Amino acid sequence: MAKPQRSITEPPTNQVLLGPREAFVENLDTNWALLTKRLPNADFVATTVTIGKYTQTQVRLAYLKSVADPQLVATVLKRLQQIDVDGIIDASYISECLNPDPLAFYKAAASEEKPDVVVSRILEGRLAILVDGSPVVLTLPHLFLENIQNSNDYYGGNAGVTLKRVLRLLGGLVAVFLPGFYLALALYHLPLLPLQSITALQNCTGDSLFPPIIEMLLVVLLFEIIYEATLLMPKHLGASIGIVAVLVVGEVASTVGLLSAPTVLVVAIAGVTMYIIPNMIAQISILRLVFTVLGGFLGLYGLVAGGVALLIYTAGVTHYGTPYLAPFAPYVAADQKDALNKVPFPEMLTRPQSFPNRNRRRQKPWRSQ
Amino acid sequence: MTTRQLICCYLIYSTSIKCLTLPSVLARGFNNWAWLVALGGVFWELLGVIIATLILRWHPRGLLSLPVLLMGTWVTLTQIWTLAKNDLATNCNPWVFALTLIILVLFFMRQRPVAFFRAAEVLWLLWGLALLVAVVPILYSLPQANFNNLFNGTAPTWFPTLSRCSLFFEGFTFVVVFGEQIPKRHRLLKTSLTAAGTGVIFVGIMMLGTVLFGNLWALKPMGLIELTAAGAFLTTHGSLDWLLALALMAALILRLGLQTVAAYRIVKRRLPDA
């Protein structure tokens, strides 16, 4: 009997202005067909493993035989074969099982919804893991850099790509640090601000009901609650009720003096910028709370101490022999061609060297062809 | 990590951090002898590097390095305290401050040394920016250079400060943690030359600062912090000295982490490895 499945649609996230719009569905064979359509090559191979005592879920490890590192393939395959659980419902279960550290803060594998993105990753020498019943395909090794790259960077020409990537990175930093930075300035380092700003700030915050740190934590938590509620509401109601909640709560609370206007503004900016890196929303939410507390209790010292500690932790993360912060730390000069900066595609002559792969050379120099 | 990468990383890290202290040295009454103080600091760093490299050759090297590392950790802790309390004006409870440092130290103990080095690679941007803030005004004022500044005046307090110079611990810690990665052949020469190279660049910049701002010590501190109190040039363009303070704080916390992890590994009777 044929398995029921929905038809191929556009992905709910990571939409592109130009470029392919197909997304994976919950059927393994369809997802496999979406990949083989783009990689009709004998080199593109896969090994299927059945995982789950009761669910008997088909999990397929796919890669380019002449490009992917055989040792990496063997390691991941062994890890997949070692998974002994009741059932696999979604690819995220596999993603957690693949993480060497169960309490790790960062994911060991990237989750992709679009076949074109997965194919480009496979061409770089990465491995793809397809899970039956999941509309998401995992790719690994996963780098932090992938979070600030976007399909639109590759389909809309090179103009402005560097700017967009820098903005995404800055947006992520703003989302994490802004509430804490504001508290640090307001509570400890007011002289850093110009005189007019100090007066304006004190005029706004003078009548606030709560101490600044409590106020900030309340607004941050309120924002998280509205976000969760919007996600769980019926689709058609979610957006409109979310807007109403934010506008009404923010406006009324600042008018009656429950909350100060700068606090609402700061959290609103931090809340919006969080979505510029959609794959790291959970991490950003947690870090924002932590840095709000640090900024509120310890000022800039706390922010710097926490920031350096976070950086050291992130720099030490290694998944399957690949440093998470590569090609920035360790600095890999050859991979800067598609890091914050992006060179035109014909200039990308070699595959990434931040993670192991068999065949470094990607293509011949364009001008000699 | 290759030897070349290690050396490059240390060269940039060390030079940037030293240059951030330039206005501070000029402001703290060193007067026109600031460049001599810098030279002394480099001497201490060289000494630290040489001693650590020699210690690597002996067997109970962990036992020999541990007291120095612990002393270095203490110096770093006091520097962080001074910077946070006086320069950044963080008016927090000392117990809260101590608690955060204990949490930091416990956290650092669980990390790998190579993570500190990679973090330093990312922080280059911050240090580079701060270095730019510190050095550009010097270059801007080049036409006003007065070379007599190098030799005039007195140097009333430079020696005691020199003796407290933490550059010794800077170089020492680096070699204790990463020295094993440098091939044994000519290791002493390589580490010494690296330390000397950073010293030459630092003293050069310091001399340049002295000929331009040799008598700035007499100025009343104008910025947020004493660190750049002599940097009257900064306050004319809006106070950016907090950026310097943040960069210096990041470097100090990084050094604290490196010293902690090295000491912890020695205590665990394991040689530091990266």
Side-chain angles (χ1 to χ4, degrees), chain A residues 64 306 326:
Chain A
L64 274 177

Side-chain angles (χ1 to χ4, degrees), chain A residues 222 226 230 233 236-253:
Chain A
L222 192 66
I226 292 173
T230 314
M233 273 177 203
H236 303 294
L237 286 175
S240 51
I241 289 188
I243 291 168
V244 170
V246 170
L247 283 179
V248 171
V249 171
E251 176 64 26
V252 173

Side-chain angles (χ1 to χ4, degrees), chain B residues 10 13-14 17-18 21 25 28 30 37-38 40-49 68-80 158-174 202 248 251-253 255-256 259:
Chain B
Y10 184 69
Y13 162 76
S14 187
I17 299 310
K18 284 195 203 98
T21 61
V25 177
R28 287 185 181 172
F30 298 124
V37 175
V42 170
F43 164 75
W44 280 106
E45 185 180 15
L46 202 59
L47 197 68
V49 164
V68 185
L69 281 174
L70 291 178
M71 197 188 286
T73 308
W74 175 250
V75 170
T76 311
L77 284 173
T78 55
Q79 285 176 326
I80 291 175
W158 64 269
F159 190 76
T161 308
L162 186 63
S163 63
R164 284 188 274 119
C165 192
S166 65
L167 292 180
F168 174 83
F169 302 110
E170 189 99 19
F172 187 90
T173 309
F174 175 77
F202 176 47
L248 204 57
L252 286 175
I253 289 171
R255 194 210 292 164
L256 173 72
Q259 284 165 337

